[in-house]
Amino acid sequence: MARPLKISLTRRYRFAASHRLHSPKFSEQENQRLYGKCSNPHGHGHNYVVEVTVSGPVDPSTGMIANLGDLDPFVGREVVDAFDYKNLNEEVVEFRGNVVPTTENVAREIFRRLRKFPKARVERVRIEETSKNSFEVEDEAVVS
Amino acid sequence: MVRSRGREENTRGAVEAHRNAMIRVTRRVEFSAAHFYHNPSFSAEENRRVFGKCNNPQGHGHNYVLEVTVAGEPDPDTGMVLDLKDLKDLLEKEVMERMDHRHLNYEVPELAGQIPTCENIAAVIWRLLEPRITKGQLDRVRLYESPDLFADCTAEVTVPRAGDLEGLEAGRRAWRDR
């Protein structure tokens, strides 16, 4: 017997940004111990890859869960334009205070922004900070 | 002898525990095909607006990458969830022969009346494969249209069906009583 299907669509986007892992809650020494070279005062950068997964019914008139004509500009505006070639600590308002721009926190912030996508459910965001590290956040896992 | 029976039981216990682990096996194939997006119930202007350059009636193409995942418990005799050669042959027959170097709008009857998007092609592939996988269970169909765009098809309900549990129990009994 055929089982009911769940279909999702995943799109990959890229941005390049600098950041520094440093918390004002800790002493200089503690920051150094905790974050190591990621805490160097002038910061460093990565080529981030963001995978955005949307799910929901496939519209029979278009064959699509979400039209990339809607998703691409939305992610472009909310994430790529806001993060690409930026200093995350200085130029993304959410990271100016006590929130350290670790990729965990960047993933949560991106997910918070993308959940507002009006055309489909954004169920997952996965970020590759480098080709060796990736971070995922899913629907229920985030409080905002 | 008590000692050797004890050892045998330990071995059996370890194998039993081992058997409970569900394994996912994935096979990847690539095919190249042409398509375009057009809904005959939309106006020409609407088709252009909704589908953009994908609406070009001359069509365009992609190198699709298909990943098919089957989940199950390895057969205790062969150590395999399923024979990958069987899966390879199945993908050749059901997917490659149907779709490779074809025009998805005109040459694949299963897609007739549908827009050949990544989502719809993945669903068609799922429906072609699911009833034909007899060892293990189809777990996921992932279809890449490009390295930056893919659709995933999975079963909505992931708990085993009653039949699977019966099969599992029968397998366990056969193993115990062998």
Side-chain angles (χ1 to χ4, degrees):
Chain A
M1 197 186 71
R3 293 168 290 168
L5 290 189
K6 175 176 181 278
I7 305 179
S8 66
L9 187 77
T10 300
R11 180 80 154 155
R12 283 162 69 89
Y13 303 89
R14 289 170 179 77
F15 68 86
S18 66
H19 73 166
R20 177 197 183 197
L21 303 186
H22 178 91
S23 170
K25 291 179 190 162
F26 303 132
S27 69
E28 276 310 312
Q29 201 187 3
E30 278 169 325
N31 269 297
Q32 269 306 324
R33 188 177 52 76
L34 188 59
Y35 296 123
K37 61 187 178 182
C38 298
S39 199
N40 285 350
H42 296 293
H44 61 281
H46 299 286
N47 295 320
Y48 293 88
V49 176
V50 183
E51 263 183 27
V52 179
T53 301
V54 293
S55 63
V58 175
D59 180 344
S61 74
T62 61
M64 299 170 181
I65 294 169
N67 195 325
L68 295 181
D70 297 320
L71 186 64
D72 286 352
F74 182 80
V75 177
R77 192 170 62 242
E78 294 292 328
V79 177
V80 179
D81 291 353
F83 290 51
D84 196 28
Y85 283 76
K86 297 282 170 70
N87 178 320
L88 299 179
N89 302 64
E90 302 294 332
E91 294 178 276
V92 176
V93 66
E94 287 80 4
F95 299 123
R96 275 192 200 140
N98 286 336
V99 181
V100 181
T102 57
T103 307
E104 289 92 328
N105 281 335
V106 174
R108 288 173 68 142
E109 177 53 27
I110 289 175
F111 189 57
R112 192 185 67 79
R113 292 173 180 225
L114 295 185
R115 295 177 97 179
K116 295 174 198 148
F117 182 57
K119 309 272 184 170
R121 175 174 158 243
V122 173
E123 71 165 29
R124 193 178 67 118
V125 164
R126 178 174 165 272
I127 303 191
E128 295 169 13
E129 184 185 44
T130 70
S131 60
K132 297 190 182 81
N133 307 327
S134 71
F135 303 82
E136 276 179 48
V137 52
E138 278 187 350
D139 227 356
E140 285 79 12
V142 156
V143 281
S144 66
Chain B
M1 280 188 342
V2 174
R3 198 168 39 171
S4 85
R5 191 163 65 222
R7 192 185 297 150
E8 195 180 301
E9 274 168 7
N10 282 344
T11 311
R12 202 179 287 185
V15 173
E16 195 79 20
H18 208 66
R19 268 177 54 73
N20 288 335
M22 182 83 106
I23 306 287
R24 290 195 175 91
V25 180
T26 299
R27 176 91 191 167
R28 178 184 292 144
V29 291
E30 298 188 22
F31 62 92
S32 304
H35 73 170
F36 70 103
Y37 296 167
H38 179 85
N39 183 334
S41 65
F42 292 170
S43 68
E45 195 275 326
E46 211 175 356
N47 268 299
R48 273 193 301 275
R49 186 177 54 74
V50 173
F51 298 124
K53 60 185 178 184
C54 299
N55 184 230
N56 176 6
Q58 303 295 332
H60 60 279
H62 299 285
N63 297 321
Y64 290 91
V65 176
L66 172 68
E67 282 178 8
V68 173
T69 302
V70 177
E73 292 191 30
D75 179 301
D77 292 328
T78 64
M80 299 191 273
V81 173
L82 79 170
D83 190 331
L84 271 177
K85 173 73 166 61
D86 294 342
L87 184 57
K88 183 185 171 193
D89 292 346
L90 181 69
L91 295 179
E92 182 62 35
K93 181 164 176 284
E94 299 299 333
V95 181
M96 300 300 282
E97 282 180 20
R98 266 192 181 79
M99 301 187 184
D100 189 34
H101 287 74
R102 302 282 181 184
H103 196 301
L104 300 176
N105 296 65
Y106 303 129
E107 294 183 276
V108 181
E110 289 78 8
L111 279 165
Q114 299 186 59
I115 316 285
T117 56
C118 225
E119 292 95 315
N120 278 339
I121 304 165
V124 161
I125 292 173
W126 174 283
R127 291 194 187 99
L128 285 168
L129 298 180
E130 194 199 16
R132 293 175 174 89
I133 288 172
T134 51
K135 289 191 174 157
Q137 201 174 30
L138 185 57
D139 185 67
R140 191 183 73 184
V141 165
R142 171 171 286 185
L143 182 68
Y144 287 87
E145 184 182 284
S146 78
D148 289 335
L149 184 69
F150 60 86
D152 277 338
C153 229
T154 53
E156 182 80 83
V157 183
T158 50
V159 293
R161 295 169 294 175
D164 301 330
L165 288 177
E166 281 162 25
L168 215 61
E169 270 314 303
R172 291 216 173 97
R173 272 197 308 275
W175 176 259
R176 262 198 317 269
D177 302 341
R178 79 199 190 285

